[in-house]
Amino acid sequence: MYVDYRIINEKEIEAINDKGEIINITGLNTGDIKKAILLSNKIEGLDDKITNQSKIMENLNYQIAETKETRNKEIPGTILSIILFAISIANAVPIGFLIATGLISVVGLTAITLNIKDIKKYSMSAGKIEENWSINLERSAELKRKLSELMTKIKVEEKRNEKKEELVKAYKEGLKNETDFSLDYDDVKTLKLR
């Protein structure tokens, strides 16, 4: 995998692979190398986004669970205070007790309502983030597929260049030794000495 490059001229690039090695690449594939490096950077950016979105979803799910737990703890106390308030109204108890149970009921109902709103808000946020996360996963997989195809193309081109160099060396050696060659340009792997 190439992580960076430096353009030397139109047909030559120094590419740096993920091991930190500098590789001199020549030939027609320099444009492909540039594309591969850009794709690699896009994939890395998407992978970072996916990781961040996963952490955000995890935090939102934790907040949802915590808010539900708080709401569930408040429900029994609120129900009890509502029952006491209803009994106080029916039995004409002192006004202070009536006000106290009424306030506790209102506060409990308000807290439960706010918790329900928070749960909805967290759930909606988590849903949107999960949708983006899913899209980014698909896009990352598509870019990785394209990068893999491009890297295969680059490697094939590098092999072709190596074979062409071997052919040229063999041809020059053959000229020295006055040997005839048959060169097949469609398949540079074939070299027939006569």
Side-chain angles (χ1 to χ4, degrees):
M1 177 87 52
Y2 298 102
V3 293
D4 201 3
Y5 67 93
R6 182 174 71 93
I7 300 172
I8 296 171
N9 59 42
E10 212 172 274
K11 293 191 176 188
E12 190 174 5
I13 288 180
E14 280 184 347
I16 301 171
N17 66 14
D18 53 359
K19 296 174 189 165
E21 302 166 334
I22 296 175
I23 300 163
N24 199 9
I25 300 170
T26 58
L28 303 174
N29 65 343
T30 55
D32 291 338
I33 297 293
K34 292 178 203 175
K35 287 179 192 173
I37 292 167
L38 292 174
L39 272 175
S40 178
N41 290 340
K42 281 183 184 179
I43 290 168
E44 190 174 315
L46 274 176
D47 287 346
D48 288 345
K49 263 186 183 179
I50 290 166
T51 301
N52 289 338
Q53 288 171 332
S54 295
K55 288 178 184 175
I56 291 169
M57 284 190 303
E58 189 177 307
N59 287 338
L60 284 171
N61 287 334
Y62 174 77
Q63 287 177 333
I64 290 169
E66 193 174 87
T67 305
K68 282 181 178 179
E69 187 177 325
T70 303
R71 178 202 61 196
N72 291 343
K73 287 178 183 176
E74 291 171 348
I75 288 174
T78 303
I79 291 172
L80 182 62
S81 64
I82 291 171
I83 291 170
L84 287 175
F85 181 70
I87 291 172
S88 298
I89 291 175
N91 292 328
V93 293
I95 191 86
F97 186 75
L98 185 65
I99 291 172
T101 55
L103 283 174
I104 293 170
S105 299
V106 169
V107 169
L109 287 172
T110 303
I112 290 170
T113 303
L114 290 175
N115 286 337
I116 290 170
K117 283 184 179 181
D118 286 345
I119 290 168
K120 284 181 182 178
K121 180 178 72 174
Y122 296 147
S123 296
M124 286 175 56
S125 294
K128 287 178 185 176
I129 291 170
E130 186 175 1
E131 185 179 322
N132 287 335
W133 175 80
S134 177
I135 290 168
N136 286 337
L137 267 180
E138 289 174 16
R139 189 160 179 246
S140 177
E142 176 67 19
L143 290 177
K144 285 177 183 176
R145 185 190 59 73
K146 284 182 181 178
L147 180 61
S148 176
E149 289 172 0
L150 193 56
M151 293 305 292
T152 301
K153 181 180 174 186
I154 289 167
K155 287 176 185 170
V156 166
E157 185 66 27
E158 286 174 357
K159 287 292 181 195
R160 282 189 179 140
N161 285 339
E162 286 174 19
K163 294 295 181 188
K164 285 177 186 176
E165 287 174 20
E166 287 175 23
L167 282 172
V168 168
K169 283 180 188 175
Y171 179 72
K172 287 179 180 176
E173 192 64 33
L175 288 178
K176 278 190 223 174
N177 299 330
E178 296 180 3
T179 306
D180 289 332
F181 284 90
S182 169
L183 296 176
D184 182 356
Y185 289 105
D186 292 330
D187 184 352
V188 296
K189 294 177 192 169
T190 62
L191 172 63
K192 298 174 187 168
L193 290 172
R194 287 186 212 162

